[in-house]
Amino acid sequence: MSLDSKVPSGPMEYRWTKYKFESKLVNPANKRKYSVIVVGTGLAGAAASATLAELGYQVHSFCFQDSPRRAHSIAAQGGINAAKNYQNDGDSIKRLFYDTIKGGDFRARESNVHRLAECSVSIIDQCVAQGVPFAREYGGLLANRSFGGAQVSRTFYCRGQTGQQLLIGAYQALSRQIGYGKVKMHPRTEFLDLVVVDGRARGIVVRDLVTGNIESFSADAVLLCTGGYCNTYFLSTNAAGCNVSATYRAYKRGAAFANPCYTQIHPTCIPVSGDHQSKLTLMSESLRNDGRVWVPKSAGDVGKPASQIPEDARDYYLERMYPSYGNLAPRDIASRAAKYACDDGRGVGHGGRGVYLDFAVAIKRDGRDKVAEKYGNLFEMYERITGESGYDQPMRIYPALHYTMGGLWVDYGLMSNIQGLFVLGEANFSDHGANRLGASALMQGLADGYFVIPYTLANFFASAKKEVLPTDHPEFKKVESEVSENIKKMLSINGKKTAVEIHRELGKIMWDNVGMARTKSSLESAISQIRNLREEFWGNVTVPGSGADLNQALERAGRVADFLEFGELLARDALTREESCGGHFREEYQVDGEADRNDEKFSHVAGWEFTGAFSEPIRNVEPLSWEVVQPSVRSYK
């Protein structure tokens, strides 16, 4: 397998401009002749569907929710980055580019990141034109706040509900095209498999989640905008329905899966409170602008009310360890620091797995009303979940799985190694390296959907032979048959464990062995345990009901089956990458508690190639070249 990035030549700052100018075009009348399948309706999917339909393409949009508005992008809270420099504090496209490369621990493709920084400026203008209600300063300009890994204020926000407001903007653009008849919307429809003929994506096989009907759709191109794979760990900040199935099944059809071991653990989440939980809740990173993170200096003070621990007995460990960035240290670093404090016996709350996020100083300085103006809905959410007021006492937070930087491999044009299969947003690997900076996920999703894919898809259409296969083609029928047989197999097992029970066991294996800290022995143990659990799944899972109607147990079982296979791939990638970088932290490779990269051996993208359900996959490599930013020790001290 060849992983050719197809990055344009020339100076970095002109590559995207050069690509756009040199791209082949499809004239407006001919665009109507092309059809596009878009799977997913989050920011990347909704933006892509709306934009492509506006240009004239025939678009079929699919989501398993009852409405596109229920996509998980709605859960993003803190903001979206853009190099507008409204604060006049030294920001620029180049600085956003540099911060993103450094934040990703020098494991991202430079050219893609620079394009992202360039597009960021246009994203804000587009969203304002759509009516997204960004916060504003006294003079009327859009307000900004800081996020981790940056020393400038470049994050635009709508209180603590930025993802919701941005998704509403994209949704209204999508709804407009649905109303015009240019987008055919398919809600409550789950992607089950990709159809590939002669090395080109030709369509998809889906299941109607209400009727159980299995159906095929054919098109000139397929876009996967299906998010990340955090729920491999069972407990994460992702919605319970988020899954890896679309990208993993594309991987089984020949798409390379890149850097699956790059998982992000967010430091600012409500801690686990018991085994009853099906997911965890994020408290936005924006809270660390004004909230101070601390634990007791002495384990003897653990258990005391926070108000009874005097100032000189508190350890504001992020401010102590990383004075240049303080409480806004990047997510991977802040997460590990919280873990170390709790491992030292100084954690607070249930099981000693929590640290304080304290707003007392901000409330005293600015007043409670000002704090509520910026973060009020987050405080309300925290109180509803915990029964405690973050105004009257410190919040308790602890790291949790939140985002994944790995995903299907794509070239500069966002096309996978399968011709005609494009991958957008969190589902691809391209922009964040080994650690995503806060407020950059929304930026990537909208950049890919609004500004990148219209050019790259047109260039593909104009360069490739137009040929849409009918859905009665033998390959479509073959994939439909395979999908149906897999469903029948799961329904016929009649074991004693539910898919949820097995998923919970997988999550414990992943968190304990492939979580914040990984070792050779823990990863080898994870691979062995996952294989055993996989065998148990196919011999002892129970899936009640049938495949001929609404069956959420069947939906869950199919997704858990994919998590079980993918979890092994994730652990294998982590085992092979013998270094620490960003969210991938191998305890054998560290210097004074910080990640120890091995640029000589691992300055590359690892793209895994499927060779069979029980065979070891092939590890392919795309070398990373450094032309503008030279890798250095990643320091936030």
Side-chain angles (χ1 to χ4, degrees):
M1 180 185 290
S2 174
L3 302 181
D4 180 5
S5 65
K6 299 178 182 175
V7 169
S9 60
M12 185 72 64
E13 61 269 27
Y14 298 117
R15 286 180 182 171
W16 179 228
T17 301
K18 178 183 179 182
Y19 180 93
K20 291 188 289 185
F21 179 74
E22 293 181 349
S23 291
K24 295 180 180 179
L25 302 177
V26 179
N27 79 51
N30 285 341
K31 285 187 174 78
R32 302 186 191 103
K33 301 176 182 178
Y34 287 92
S35 57
V36 185
I37 287 170
V38 181
V39 184
T41 57
L43 287 180
S49 293
T51 304
L52 295 175
E54 182 75 41
L55 290 171
Y57 298 108
Q58 302 172 45
V59 178
H60 284 263
S61 177
F62 295 82
C63 69
F64 63 70
Q65 298 93 344
D66 55 0
S67 164
R69 270 195 61 187
R70 293 180 68 85
H72 188 62
S73 297
I74 202 170
Q77 298 170 346
I80 177 171
N81 286 331
K84 283 287 197 180
N85 195 29
Y86 281 170
Q87 301 290 320
N88 199 29
D89 58 357
D91 201 11
S92 64
I93 288 173
K94 186 173 182 179
R95 190 173 295 278
L96 175 53
F97 160 70
Y98 173 78
D99 285 347
T100 306
I101 291 288
K102 178 184 175 182
D105 217 349
F106 306 95
R107 289 294 177 264
R109 189 190 288 151
E110 274 192 321
S111 297
N112 288 64
V113 176
H114 199 281
R115 178 177 65 192
L116 178 66
E118 291 177 64
C119 290
S120 73
V121 180
S122 300
I123 293 170
I124 302 303
D125 296 338
Q126 171 106 352
C127 294
V128 170
Q130 290 175 337
V132 173
F134 287 118
R136 292 182 181 268
E137 298 283 13
Y138 171 76
L141 286 178
L142 301 184
N144 292 107
R145 57 189 177 200
S146 298
F147 256 64
Q151 291 181 307
V152 296
S153 295
R154 64 162 67 101
T155 304
F156 296 77
Y157 62 97
C158 312
R159 295 186 77 189
Q161 49 188 233
T162 311
Q164 179 181 7
Q165 298 301 330
L166 291 174
L167 188 61
I168 289 172
Y171 173 69
Q172 69 182 12
L174 173 60
S175 296
R176 181 169 180 261
Q177 299 305 319
I178 294 172
Y180 287 151
K182 294 181 178 180
V183 174
K184 171 64 176 173
M185 190 68 228
H186 302 268
R188 305 184 187 91
T189 306
E190 183 167 30
F191 172 100
L192 291 185
D193 218 331
L194 178 73
V195 179
V196 180
V197 181
D198 297 328
R200 180 168 171 178
R202 301 293 187 173
I204 63 174
V205 175
V206 301
R207 179 175 181 269
D208 185 309
L209 295 181
V210 177
T211 67
N213 289 339
I214 292 173
E215 188 177 0
S216 292
F217 290 85
S218 179
D220 290 287
V222 176
L223 277 59
L224 294 185
C225 314
T226 53
Y229 46 86
C230 273
N231 281 353
T232 309
Y233 290 77
F234 187 74
L235 285 179
S236 80
T237 65
N238 287 196
C242 293
N243 60 85
V244 74
S245 290
T247 50
Y248 188 73
R249 293 179 189 182
Y251 159 73
K252 293 175 78 170
R253 292 294 176 186
F257 210 113
N259 302 333
C261 75
Y262 290 166
T263 54
Q264 180 166 84
I265 295 174
H266 198 297
T268 317
C269 304
I270 297 179
V272 176
S273 59
D275 291 339
H276 63 282
Q277 288 180 276
S278 61
K279 74 176 295 294
L280 298 174
T281 303
L282 171 70
M283 299 306 296
S284 170
E285 182 173 301
S286 62
L287 292 170
R288 292 195 278 140
N289 272 284
D290 291 301
R292 301 178 70 194
V293 179
W294 65 275
V295 292
K297 286 183 178 179
S298 169
D301 285 334
V302 172
K304 293 181 181 178
S307 59
Q308 295 180 15
I309 301 176
E311 189 72 17
D312 61 2
R314 301 178 177 186
D315 179 14
Y316 295 92
Y317 57 87
L318 289 177
E319 298 173 32
R320 170 175 57 79
M321 297 167 67
Y322 307 102
S324 294
Y325 287 77
N327 295 297
L328 285 171
R331 292 176 176 180
D332 57 326
I333 290 172
S335 293
R336 284 196 296 274
K339 179 181 184 296
Y340 294 152
C342 294
D343 289 348
D344 193 35
R346 297 182 292 139
V348 300
H350 177 77
R353 291 290 157 184
V355 300
Y356 286 129
L357 180 62
D358 196 338
F359 282 83
V361 171
I363 292 172
K364 183 177 180 180
R365 180 186 66 235
D366 300 329
R368 177 169 170 159
D369 290 346
K370 190 67 176 179
V371 172
E373 181 183 316
K374 290 194 282 187
Y375 312 112
N377 64 304
L378 297 172
F379 277 76
E380 291 168 14
M381 183 171 66
Y382 181 82
E383 186 165 4
R384 287 178 185 176
I385 292 172
T386 66
E388 302 171 2
S389 169
Y391 296 111
D392 299 331
Q393 62 190 81
M395 293 180 178
R396 287 174 294 105
I397 57 170
Y398 192 68
L401 261 294
H402 175 62
Y403 188 88
T404 54
M405 288 72 66
L408 290 186
W409 181 91
V410 292
D411 63 17
Y412 188 73
L414 302 185
M415 188 163 69
S416 73
N417 57 296
I418 297 176
Q419 291 292 299
L421 177 64
F422 293 80
V423 191
L424 283 64
E426 188 180 358
N428 76 36
F429 87 99
S430 65
D431 291 3
H432 306 299
N435 174 63
R436 177 178 67 81
L437 292 185
S440 287
L442 306 184
M443 176 174 61
Q444 185 203 357
L446 292 181
D448 286 356
Y450 283 140
F451 299 109
V452 179
I453 198 63
Y455 288 95
T456 62
L457 185 64
N459 184 56
F460 169 72
F461 284 156
S463 305
K465 179 182 178 182
K466 178 168 174 37
E467 183 184 25
V468 177
L469 298 184
T471 54
D472 61 0
H473 185 280
E475 193 63 29
F476 277 90
K477 294 305 176 184
K478 177 186 174 187
V479 175
E480 285 182 19
S481 176
E482 291 173 356
V483 164
S484 298
E485 286 302 313
N486 194 55
I487 290 173
K488 290 177 184 176
K489 182 179 179 181
M490 279 192 287
L491 290 168
S492 67
I493 296 171
N494 293 321
K496 296 182 179 180
K497 279 189 175 181
T498 66
V500 174
E501 289 176 297
I502 293 174
H503 191 186
R504 192 184 294 274
E505 290 181 40
L506 172 65
K508 186 174 188 331
I509 293 170
M510 296 297 295
W511 180 253
D512 289 346
N513 298 282
V514 202
M516 272 191 280
R518 306 159 177 183
T519 65
K520 183 176 186 291
S521 61
S522 76
L523 294 168
E524 290 172 341
S525 174
I527 292 170
S528 175
Q529 291 181 68
I530 292 169
R531 284 184 175 176
N532 292 337
L533 191 60
R534 196 165 137 204
E535 288 181 13
E536 182 177 7
F537 175 91
W538 288 107
N540 195 33
V541 73
T542 178
V543 184
S546 76
D549 53 14
L550 177 65
N551 189 340
Q552 291 183 311
L554 177 60
E555 296 169 36
R556 187 65 175 264
R559 296 168 189 171
V560 172
D562 292 326
F563 281 136
L564 285 164
E565 291 187 28
F566 176 74
E568 182 178 334
L569 179 67
L570 194 163
R572 185 175 299 282
D573 187 45
L575 179 63
T576 308
R577 187 168 285 275
E578 297 176 333
E579 65 166 351
S580 291
C581 57
H584 169 62
F585 193 78
R586 287 280 298 268
E587 290 190 345
E588 306 99 315
Y589 307 102
Q590 57 178 300
V591 178
D592 298 328
E594 303 292 346
D596 184 19
R597 289 195 327 268
N598 185 338
D599 292 331
E600 183 177 343
K601 189 175 180 181
F602 291 103
S603 187
H604 59 242
V605 177
W608 292 89
E609 179 182 354
F610 183 72
T611 59
F614 295 96
S615 303
E616 287 196 14
I618 298 171
R619 188 177 191 268
N620 302 282
V621 166
E622 177 205 332
L624 292 172
S625 60
W626 303 102
E627 302 173 43
V628 177
V629 180
Q630 294 304 311
S632 59
V633 175
R634 181 174 172 246
S635 174
Y636 290 92
K637 295 183 177 181

